[in-house]
Amino acid sequence: MPTATQGIYPPAPCTAVVDAEHPSRGYAVFKDRAGRYQYLVLPLARITGIESPKLLRPDAPNYLADAWLARMYTEAALGRPVPREDIALVVNSAHGRSQNQLHIHVDCVKPSVREALQHALPHLTRTWNMLPMRLPDAHGRRYIARWVEGKRLTINPFAALAGHLGDKDQMQWHSLVVAGARRVDGTPGFILLSTRAEADATPENHKNNGNSDNLHDRSCAIARPDPKK
């Protein structure tokens, strides 16, 4: 991001740069090469990934809250507002990501994933628990999940997950998903999800490598008026 901190606009190759004068908390929005509607949010600061202790500091920027606001770029690409239930943010595990710089995927969820989460929603609380069903991704992986109430993301999901894992596990093995949601009574909020990579996962054996981007639908069919287009 050579122009990201220089105040040059347009900040190519980025779509946007926010708070460039404060790299310790600023971030860039970048159009992902995958799909027409997926964007990435990347901190300007050097942060390796989900396992970075920097994300757990009390004064850490809430990059996932920033990424939720950045869904407007997906909406702009679609040319229409998108219901919160149709959007999810994904951070992959250290073993399932493509680069060692924190990047948050912003895109539409698969219709089948949204349906599964709507069925699970009445059972979710503010405590992490295993989902009763496997999510309909490419491999039917198991996820833990919890509910977060609010129109905006006011908690730090990285800290929420790390607090649940405690000393029994390590963040590097986990993905983190923030899916927009709305309860039956109309209360807006988010579903936090995480799946754990298997130590012996390889591309050949198709075991869980902690990549959750397959919950996304890069065609964004759920939000398009004519899915055939």
Side-chain angles (χ1 to χ4, degrees):
M1 295 177 287
T3 63
T5 58
Q6 299 176 20
I8 299 173
Y9 273 83
C14 303
T15 301
V17 179
V18 178
D19 216 358
E21 65 274 20
H22 299 106
S24 63
R25 64 173 183 265
Y27 62 93
V29 181
F30 188 86
K31 177 64 189 74
D32 195 358
R33 291 174 294 179
R36 295 174 58 186
Y37 311 108
Q38 184 166 129
Y39 284 80
L40 303 176
V41 171
L42 301 92
L44 298 182
R46 184 75 179 99
I47 298 178
T48 313
I50 193 170
E51 73 280 12
S52 174
K54 295 178 182 179
L55 297 172
L56 306 181
R57 293 175 179 171
D59 61 345
N62 195 336
Y63 292 116
L64 283 160
D66 296 331
W68 181 249
L69 296 178
R71 74 191 188 282
M72 68 180 181
Y73 295 101
T74 294
E75 293 181 324
L78 284 159
R80 65 183 56 244
V82 180
R84 65 186 299 117
E85 301 94 323
D86 293 352
I87 294 284
L89 317 175
V90 170
V91 179
N92 291 316
S93 79
H95 308 276
R97 66 189 181 216
S98 60
Q99 55 184 293
N100 290 327
Q101 169 66 18
L102 179 68
H103 55 288
I104 303 167
H105 300 254
V106 184
D107 208 345
C108 300
V109 295
K110 293 177 179 176
S112 57
V113 171
R114 173 179 166 170
E115 183 179 359
L117 292 178
Q118 285 298 112
H119 280 111
L121 190 51
H123 308 288
L124 298 183
T125 68
R126 293 181 177 87
T127 302
W128 290 93
N129 286 292
M130 186 69 69
L131 281 179
M133 80 289 283
R134 295 179 184 272
L135 289 183
D137 62 11
H139 306 290
R141 293 167 177 165
R142 298 303 303 267
Y143 279 80
I144 57 173
R146 61 159 291 186
W147 166 253
V148 175
E149 188 171 308
K151 187 176 181 180
R152 296 185 178 184
L153 193 60
T154 56
I155 71 163
N156 179 348
F158 294 109
L161 177 59
H164 170 71
L165 300 179
D167 297 328
K168 301 177 181 178
D169 205 346
Q170 296 177 330
M171 288 284 282
Q172 64 168 318
W173 293 101
H174 286 263
S175 69
L176 181 57
V177 179
V178 178
R182 191 180 300 274
R183 290 201 182 271
V184 175
D185 64 2
T187 302
F190 302 89
I191 299 173
L192 307 189
L193 300 153
S194 180
T195 189
R196 191 186 192 282
E198 298 175 83
D200 59 346
T202 68
E204 291 74 27
N205 64 20
H206 300 295
K207 290 190 176 182
N208 190 353
N209 65 352
N211 183 308
S212 291
D213 200 30
N214 53 20
L215 299 179
H216 277 148
D217 172 19
R218 291 174 180 172
S219 73
C220 219
I222 199 169
R224 282 163 37 220
D226 184 354
K228 295 180 181 179
K229 293 182 179 180

